[in-house]
Amino acid sequence: MSNVNSHLADRKYFIGGFFILVVIIYIVRLFYIQLIDDQYKIGADKNALRRTTEYAVRGYIFDRKGKILVYNEPSYDLMIVPRETKGCDTLGLCAILEITKEEYLKRIKKACQHPNSARKESIFEKQLSKETYAILQEKLFRFKGFFFQKRAIRKYPKPIAAHLMGYVGEVSKEKAKKDPYYREGDYIGKSGIELSYEEALRGQKGVQYQITDVNNKTVGRYMKGKYDTLAISGKPLYSSIDAELQEYGEKLMRGKKGAIVAIEPSTGEILCLISSPTYDPNSLVSGKERNKSFARMYADTINVPLFNRALTAMYPPGSTFKLIDALIAQNDGVINRSTFYPCQMGYPPMGGKPKCHSHGGGKSLVGSIAVSCNSYYSYVFRDIVDQRKYPNFVDGYTHWRDMVKTFGPGTRLGTDLPYDKPGNVPSVEYYNKVFGKGGWRSNTIVSLGIGQAELTLVPLQMANVVAIIANKGFYYTPHCIKGVGKEKYLDPKFKEKHYAGVQKQEYYDIVIEGMEGALQPGGTAFASRLKDIVVCGKTGTAQNPHGKDHAVFLAFAPKENPKIVIACLVENAGFGGVWSAPIVTLLMEKYLKGKTDRPEIEKRIMEANLINGSILITDDID
Amino acid sequence: MQSRGQNSLFYGVDRLTILLYVIMVLFGWLNIYAAVYNEAHSNIFDMTQKYGKQLLWMAGAAVIAFSVLLIDADFFTAFAYVFYGVMIVANILVRLVGREIKGSHSWFEIGDFRLQPAEFIKFSMALALAKFLSNQQIAINTQFRLRWRDLVKNYKNTFIALAIILIPLVLVKKLQDETGLALVFIAFFIVLYREGLSVGVLMIGMLVAILFVVALVVANTMSVLISLGVLALLSFLIIPRNGKNLLMVGLVFVMAAGVVLGSNYVYKKLEPHQKDRIDVLLGNKKDLKGVGYNVDQSKKAIGSGGFFGKGYLQGTQTKYDFVPEQETDFIFCTVGEEWGFFGSTIVIFLELFLILRVIFLSERQRSSFSRIYGYGVASILFFHLAVNIGMTIGLMPVIGIPLPFFSYGGSSLWSFTILLFIFIKLDANRLLILR
């Protein structure tokens, strides 16, 4: 017995060794899952921690006179914990929500998609209407497994300034992934002020961590509330918008496509910013309705109501651009007050092209602005570009372009609204490409001098040009928020003066004289003059290759110590003097006097419907 | 040879083994308390709670331990087969009078307390096997030769030994549907190995097992068969090409092919939940809601423990019932989560240390009965340790067997206590045998 046992006794080492080997493998595995691999830790936290979000109250926005532009209204989401819906009055719920049983089951299935999610809450129906909420709240005890989550949606007391305000919507998946502040389902500013001031407006949401058991029952606070935070309300915004002016401007623009931008030149504050056609901002606040409104507005390819023309539609400035030419030419010393150029219903050296209208023959500088002579500015453009000091004409053109850019065109102004476009001042390279190097002369591109061809500006830039003239040489970057929060903080970049390339006051005085003349007998906007306010303006008729010309009018008032500058563009309306000038002067009256006393003009404008279905220029050129 | 205290209860008893046993039972109870803990019932004697009941089971275990030490060691040797027979009968009876719980008739119920006779077969099997093998001159076949005429003569004892193991296995599996408990009896093959079972037989067994698993992992049976064929052909490059070898290789190939095809057949015959368990383990299927859920939650609980754990009673996963069966089969999750890598390692080392101690003690026995019984104890404990912890960390399929001395449950605690203390008694008696 012991004989056999002796040679089998060695097997104890194999057995013991095998046991030890298995234990070592297990310990290595434990080492890996407990100390190296994080995935289990994360999974465990997801299991047991419930984040309860306390949403911060989004900041209100006020107009320059303290009127509320937007506030919040409570809204309720219907939440569900699928596992707890046993004994729920399903049919009753379907009837109240007006959904079918199939839809109900589909949503339950969706709520159960992720592992363990049958025990977790998810949204069953977003943003219940007040009526539905009222009915549901009374009968909620019958709907086991359902409860409400309070949210807030935006509410606009007046249906104005939709483009300015922008809207709030659910954060996109990509954004939620990139920015740790957001989780799917959170609200975020999507455009306009809501977007550019998102961080101030949103405040800081509060988060509470609670420990839950496997049935998602709360069993206590995580780490005794060590990581919990309280919600901090969003900051109020004090905007420079004049709600009354905005509303009045929108009324005037009804039935017309186009844009109006009004700025206070001494500060750069935007007084109103209108893009027409517009829409009721209240139609984009709640999820269901928003989808419908969006679909409708997207489908409207003729009016493109979602498109903010004031910031993003690039229009040729037309004759209004002559103001800049006049300033540059004086500054270069190539013309002065007494410079006279002929006009024979057009620019004589090119056989009458560009064409001009009948205004009684050649003019001197002041008169040329008042009557907006195309021939005059064709000469002026060539005077600037073909100056002797630039032996190469291309250098002359570059000089002109650089000077133009100091007035704003060609670069984004950097306002506090998102998505403004830079406009276009064509580059030398562009023309080399089109005509070939050396294949173009000043005459080739002479229509730039009268604000046509490839030259484009967005309405905001047009208003800014007038602001420079009203200020006689400088501007503040236009902005629509005067102060953020109770301390009314203003970004220092909006307090910084920007200087245009022309600084001599007398050059501006001559141009302003011409602009004043435009609203005097013989001027292009004589019909829109005001009795008691001296308005200085410039009409423009921007040729539009796609249809009838756009009517442009730029103006400021009063002449001494200007309080307001306005740029107005009405698409496909023809002469600037006929449509845009009256709109601008009506707005000026409203702003400066608080009322208008030209009811017949007001009536004519308000009743006019100029939308004829043409297409506007939206494509970038550069 | 007479010395002071020879007649005392603890004479010759291995105190280290008892110390390890006591430490594990107490630490186990702490973890059961943590796993079941809720603030409404924090009184440790609350008999409506499992930790309260476990205290009773522990008191019972102490009584059993003392009783075993009181009984004469010869009694166990003499009545080994009687124990075995009684347990077989009890396990058949439970099918008839037992209470049905979760679909299997495997519990005797007395008031609030339940006992599972299948747990108690273990020690009776160990006794019976020890008695049978120690009675033989050459216990079981030690050589692996295929000689048909010697087969019956050489393998007779082996077959009887196998029968002692397989009868309860089939009984528990077929009558009570307790797959986990039935599989535990496989551990006795370690005993057979120690007592001389041919390495060849074991190797073939293991190769068959490996091939079986490979055939399941590689879903395409044909590719496995082709690989085997290629292997068979390649083998001729290294061995002499003669008729005998050709026959041998051909035979091995046919057998291997049989195993491969058989694995698919067996797999198809399995119950759906058993298929799922195998699939989840082999990675053929990812199912976090069903079978995979237990393992997934278990890994999360253990994995979130870190080095020193979350602290006693601080575990979020186990305390709030994310892990199913956390006080019984998945008790190791509580250890892993609340005591971390540090505590988990200590628990595994405690178990390993006890097992190695039992092996060490077995090897110093002069009676082969005691030695074989000791190996039975060590093998059973090891099988439980390996399968239970392996399952909680995803290295083994989910087979519901308890972690010795840690898991909640009277049957398992009492069964392990009897198992261990009979050995302690046998060991204490070793010096008296020579007298």
Side-chain angles (χ1 to χ4, degrees):
Chain A
M1 186 165 70
S2 60
N3 193 23
V4 173
N5 196 30
S6 64
H7 84 265
L8 287 175
D10 285 345
R11 291 192 170 183
K12 70 184 176 209
Y13 298 115
F14 289 105
I15 294 171
F18 174 65
F19 289 1
I20 291 168
L21 179 74
V22 169
V23 162
I24 288 172
I25 291 171
Y26 282 15
I27 285 172
V28 169
R29 169 79 172 176
L30 275 172
F31 186 83
Y32 178 74
I33 68 171
Q34 292 188 305
L35 301 178
I36 311 238
D37 194 343
D38 267 350
Q39 97 180 68
Y40 303 109
K41 256 170 232 79
I42 296 163
D45 284 351
K46 271 193 192 156
N47 254 351
L49 288 190
R50 183 203 292 185
R51 277 174 62 112
T52 318
T53 309
E54 188 196 338
Y55 290 100
V57 179
R58 201 169 171 86
Y60 287 16
I61 304 177
F62 300 92
D63 91 332
R64 66 187 294 117
K65 289 173 182 160
K67 281 186 193 156
I68 286 183
L69 288 172
V70 61
Y71 62 102
N72 302 312
E73 220 179 39
S75 134
Y76 294 88
D77 291 347
L78 184 63
M79 311 293 288
I80 182 179
V81 179
R83 235 174 84 130
E84 290 166 15
T85 55
K86 256 184 210 141
C88 169
D89 176 8
T90 313
L91 289 177
L93 187 71
C94 289
I96 294 171
L97 292 177
E98 292 173 357
I99 56 172
T100 59
K101 184 104 197 270
E102 288 71 40
E103 172 69 19
Y104 174 88
L105 292 174
K106 213 171 91 190
R107 290 189 196 181
I108 297 253
K109 207 173 159 195
K110 202 178 150 203
C112 299
Q113 255 166 6
H114 302 289
N116 208 16
S117 65
R119 300 181 177 95
K120 302 211 166 185
E121 73 271 15
S122 51
I123 296 178
F124 189 78
E125 171 113 351
K126 279 179 205 167
Q127 295 172 340
L128 301 164
S129 70
K130 269 183 219 151
E131 299 76 36
T132 316
Y133 171 67
I135 299 169
L136 268 179
Q137 200 189 23
E138 249 170 56
K139 301 183 175 171
L140 196 65
F141 67 94
R142 277 165 50 192
F143 309 129
K144 294 205 175 66
F146 288 90
F147 62 97
F148 296 114
Q149 179 177 289
K150 193 174 167 186
R151 301 289 287 265
I153 54 170
R154 291 304 233 181
K155 184 80 191 170
Y156 305 85
K158 285 203 166 147
I160 56 167
H163 294 101
L164 254 173
M165 296 293 138
Y167 67 96
V168 175
E170 256 177 51
V171 68
S172 68
K173 272 184 190 161
E174 300 77 50
K175 175 78 179 166
K177 234 180 241 168
K178 259 192 286 173
D179 189 333
Y181 178 84
Y182 298 99
R183 310 204 130 215
E184 266 184 61
D186 281 3
Y187 292 159
I188 187 172
K190 291 274 194 181
S191 70
I193 294 171
E194 300 279 15
L195 170 59
S196 48
Y197 287 93
E198 163 69 11
E199 262 173 60
L201 285 171
R202 77 185 181 195
Q204 182 76 41
K205 63 185 174 188
V207 176
Q208 287 177 1
Y209 292 96
Q210 284 162 325
I211 307 172
T212 59
D213 64 9
V214 70
N215 293 318
N216 206 30
K217 219 166 58 198
T218 308
V219 283
R221 301 177 78 184
Y222 180 63
M223 298 290 277
K224 298 196 174 96
K226 201 169 137 193
Y227 297 108
D228 294 0
T229 50
L230 281 174
I232 302 165
S233 300
K235 291 177 179 168
L237 296 185
Y238 299 94
S239 92
S240 60
I241 302 298
D242 185 321
E244 245 176 276
L245 190 68
Q246 177 83 23
E247 188 182 7
Y248 185 60
E250 288 185 13
K251 268 188 200 157
L252 292 174
M253 287 300 280
R254 219 172 269 165
K256 301 156 200 77
K257 288 194 277 188
I260 298 174
V261 178
I263 297 174
E264 183 178 74
S266 57
T267 55
E269 291 171 4
I270 295 172
L271 300 171
C272 74
L273 188 135
I274 296 158
S275 174
S276 184
T278 181
Y279 56 91
D280 181 353
N282 287 310
S283 68
L284 290 188
V285 291
S286 77
K288 237 195 219 168
E289 213 182 317
R290 175 165 58 228
N291 291 346
K292 268 190 237 159
S293 310
F294 255 140
R296 197 186 62 238
M297 292 198 273
Y298 262 123
D300 189 352
T301 52
I302 292 167
N303 296 315
V304 232
L306 288 171
F307 177 58
N308 187 353
R309 291 168 162 82
L311 294 181
T312 49
M314 311 209 303
Y315 299 105
S319 303
T320 59
F321 194 73
K322 291 168 185 167
L323 300 171
I324 294 176
D325 282 328
L327 288 167
I328 297 171
Q330 289 184 84
N331 199 48
D332 286 354
V334 294
I335 59 166
N336 57 37
R337 178 183 276 276
S338 54
T339 306
F340 179 93
Y341 281 118
C343 174
Q344 294 159 3
M345 294 295 279
Y347 174 50
M350 296 278 285
K353 274 188 180 169
K355 278 190 206 157
C356 197
H357 53 99
S358 61
H359 49 65
K363 292 284 172 194
S364 65
L365 182 50
V366 172
S368 73
I369 295 172
V371 302
S372 193
C373 177
N374 286 344
S375 173
Y376 195 95
Y377 286 93
S378 303
Y379 282 110
V380 167
F381 178 71
R382 289 192 58 196
D383 286 343
I384 300 168
V385 174
D386 296 337
Q387 280 176 74
R388 288 250 176 81
K389 61 177 173 185
Y390 303 115
N392 187 346
F393 130 84
V394 170
D395 293 341
Y397 177 74
T398 307
H399 159 72
W400 174 84
R401 184 171 184 265
D402 290 346
M403 285 300 281
V404 169
K405 289 185 87 169
T406 65
F407 287 85
T411 37
R412 293 184 60 200
L413 277 175
T415 156
D416 57 353
L417 290 165
Y419 308 135
D420 60 320
K421 285 261 168 79
N424 181 41
V425 188
S427 61
V428 171
E429 291 74 36
Y430 171 77
Y431 283 123
N432 279 343
K433 224 193 283 171
V434 174
F435 300 111
K437 211 171 176 182
W440 52 294
R441 294 280 168 270
S442 51
N443 269 339
T444 326
I445 53 167
V446 76
S447 55
L448 285 179
I450 57 165
Q452 298 292 346
E454 294 87 347
L455 190 66
T456 53
L457 272 72
V458 300
L460 181 72
Q461 288 173 322
M462 296 182 189
N464 194 47
V465 168
V466 197
I468 293 169
I469 294 167
N471 287 335
K472 298 183 183 174
F474 68 88
Y475 70 95
Y476 293 100
T477 304
H479 51 278
C480 56
I481 298 299
K482 290 163 67 169
V484 176
K486 296 248 154 56
E487 67 278 15
K488 304 214 169 159
Y489 171 82
L490 177 64
D491 193 326
K493 77 176 183 184
F494 296 127
K495 294 178 194 159
E496 193 189 324
K497 265 188 190 179
H498 299 275
Y499 293 95
V502 179
Q503 282 300 312
K504 238 182 185 166
Q505 303 286 299
E506 55 184 274
Y507 301 156
Y508 285 100
D509 289 338
I510 290 170
V511 168
I512 290 171
E513 209 178 304
M515 290 171 75
E516 194 184 347
L519 286 104
Q520 280 167 353
T524 49
F526 173 61
S528 300
R529 75 201 176 283
L530 296 178
K531 271 183 285 179
D532 39 6
I533 301 167
V534 184
V535 179
C536 304
K538 178 75 198 78
T539 55
T541 306
Q543 277 169 20
N544 169 16
H546 307 284
K548 209 172 161 193
D549 298 344
H550 302 321
V552 192
F553 190 67
L554 311 182
F556 67 88
K559 185 185 175 191
E560 304 303 330
N561 196 13
K563 289 268 183 277
I564 181 169
V565 311
I566 303 183
C568 171
L569 185 142
V570 184
E571 287 178 23
N572 318 116
F575 280 113
V578 181
W579 292 107
S580 294
I583 293 174
V584 167
T585 51
L586 280 169
L587 282 167
M588 283 174 165
E589 268 186 293
K590 183 85 181 174
Y591 182 68
L592 296 172
K593 298 196 298 189
K595 63 181 173 60
T596 57
D597 36 37
R598 293 177 297 157
E600 69 296 338
I601 295 184
E602 190 178 68
K603 188 164 176 264
R604 174 175 75 93
I605 298 290
M606 282 193 184
E607 286 175 359
N609 189 339
L610 302 177
I611 294 181
N612 59 6
S614 74
I615 304 157
L616 69 156
I617 312 164
T618 56
D619 34 355
D620 290 18
I621 306 162
D622 203 331
Chain B
M1 290 295 285
Q2 291 265 333
S3 63
R4 192 167 51 89
Q6 197 184 50
N7 294 322
S8 133
L9 187 61
F10 291 106
Y11 174 74
V13 156
D14 187 62
R15 300 198 176 166
L16 182 57
T17 308
I18 293 182
L19 182 68
L20 287 170
Y21 167 82
V22 171
I23 290 174
M24 283 197 277
V25 171
L26 290 179
F27 190 46
W29 182 83
L30 277 181
N31 283 301
I32 293 166
Y33 182 78
V36 183
Y37 178 80
N38 70 54
E39 271 150 33
H41 304 268
S42 53
N43 181 2
I44 59 168
F45 294 111
D46 191 333
M47 286 306 144
T48 63
Q49 300 296 306
K50 287 195 172 161
Y51 44 79
K53 282 189 190 164
Q54 184 73 359
L55 280 179
L56 279 189
W57 293 123
M58 281 158 67
V63 172
I64 289 170
F66 278 109
S67 313
V68 170
L69 292 182
L70 278 174
I71 295 168
D72 194 313
D74 294 338
F75 173 79
F76 298 111
T77 323
F79 286 88
Y81 291 142
V82 177
F83 278 120
Y84 185 74
V86 167
M87 282 306 156
I88 296 272
V89 171
N91 274 285
I92 295 169
L93 261 181
V94 77
R95 179 77 177 87
L96 306 172
V97 300
R99 190 179 145 80
E100 182 179 332
I101 286 161
K102 284 181 199 160
S104 59
H105 292 265
S106 59
W107 297 86
F108 286 123
E109 196 172 38
I110 308 136
D112 252 358
F113 294 88
R114 297 197 297 248
L115 281 176
Q116 197 171 21
E119 282 281 0
F120 295 93
I121 294 192
K122 289 169 199 165
F123 83 91
S124 71
M125 280 172 78
L127 284 175
L129 206 60
K131 176 132 184 174
F132 176 73
L133 295 179
S134 60
N135 273 348
Q136 310 304 315
Q137 187 58 35
I138 295 173
I140 46 180
N141 184 277
T142 55
Q143 287 177 334
F144 176 61
R145 266 194 225 135
L146 272 175
R147 296 223 313 260
W148 294 104
R149 59 197 155 94
D150 295 342
L151 191 72
V152 178
K153 193 179 129 209
N154 282 343
Y155 285 83
K156 186 182 133 209
N157 293 332
T158 310
F159 284 133
I160 293 173
L162 282 178
I164 291 176
I165 298 171
L166 293 176
I167 289 169
L169 197 155
V170 172
L171 211 64
V172 172
K173 171 77 187 84
K174 281 287 169 194
L175 288 185
Q176 303 175 14
D177 199 24
E178 289 284 351
T179 315
L181 290 176
L183 288 176
V184 169
F185 306 144
I186 291 173
F188 284 111
F189 280 94
I190 297 172
V191 181
L192 294 187
Y193 167 72
R194 170 61 184 84
E195 294 309 313
L197 185 67
S198 150
V199 182
V201 173
L202 274 182
M203 286 293 278
I204 285 180
M206 272 161 81
L207 279 175
V208 165
I210 289 169
L211 206 56
F212 194 91
V213 173
V214 166
L216 286 182
V217 172
V218 182
N220 187 347
T221 313
M222 210 51 194
S223 63
V224 179
L225 287 178
I226 292 168
S227 314
L228 284 173
V230 171
L231 268 180
L233 291 175
L234 283 178
S235 64
F236 282 109
L237 295 176
I238 42 175
I239 57 169
R241 283 174 289 271
N242 57 39
K244 196 183 154 203
N245 281 345
L246 189 72
L247 191 71
M248 275 302 288
V249 170
L251 206 64
V252 169
F253 174 75
V254 169
M255 279 167 64
V259 170
V260 170
L261 294 171
S263 78
N264 278 328
Y265 176 77
V266 170
Y267 178 77
K268 276 180 197 137
K269 284 275 171 188
L270 285 177
E271 300 286 328
H273 72 274
Q274 290 166 331
K275 279 187 195 173
D276 282 348
R277 287 174 183 183
I278 289 172
D279 281 339
V280 168
L281 180 78
L282 296 179
N284 288 349
K285 197 166 168 185
K286 209 165 178 111
D287 169 22
L288 296 183
K289 269 187 173 170
V291 179
Y293 177 81
N294 292 18
V295 179
D296 185 59
Q297 295 298 338
S298 159
K299 282 196 280 189
K300 275 181 190 166
I302 295 172
S304 65
F307 192 83
F308 283 114
K310 295 177 183 168
Y312 188 56
L313 297 184
Q314 301 300 312
T316 54
Q317 304 302 296
T318 46
K319 203 162 111 192
Y320 300 122
D321 302 334
F322 284 98
V323 184
E325 311 275 335
Q326 52 184 313
E327 71 282 355
T328 56
D329 297 345
F330 281 91
I331 189 72
F332 191 67
C333 295
T334 309
V335 179
E337 188 181 15
E338 297 192 345
W339 305 87
F341 178 70
F342 182 73
S344 312
T345 312
I346 286 181
V347 167
I348 295 179
F349 275 141
L350 279 174
E351 297 267 5
L352 178 69
F353 194 40
L354 178 69
I355 292 164
L356 294 179
R357 179 73 189 165
V358 169
I359 290 178
F360 171 79
L361 295 182
S362 306
E363 288 293 341
R364 75 177 183 188
Q365 300 304 315
R366 285 160 190 174
S367 115
S368 47
F369 177 85
S370 304
R371 182 188 68 240
I372 296 166
Y373 181 80
Y375 266 95
V377 174
S379 307
I380 293 273
L381 291 179
F382 174 75
F383 191 88
H384 275 270
L385 173 71
V387 170
N388 180 283
I389 292 182
M391 136 186 115
T392 61
I393 57 180
L395 291 178
M396 287 269 176
V398 177
I399 295 169
I401 59 172
L403 182 62
F405 314 117
F406 278 84
S407 291
Y408 167 81
S411 302
S412 70
L413 179 61
W414 286 7
S415 140
F416 287 125
T417 303
I418 295 171
L419 191 70
L420 186 65
F421 276 82
I422 288 178
F423 178 68
I424 292 173
K425 182 66 188 176
L426 291 174
D427 174 59
N429 208 37
R430 74 192 188 278
L431 296 172
L432 301 175
I433 284 175
L434 279 187
R435 251 189 336 178

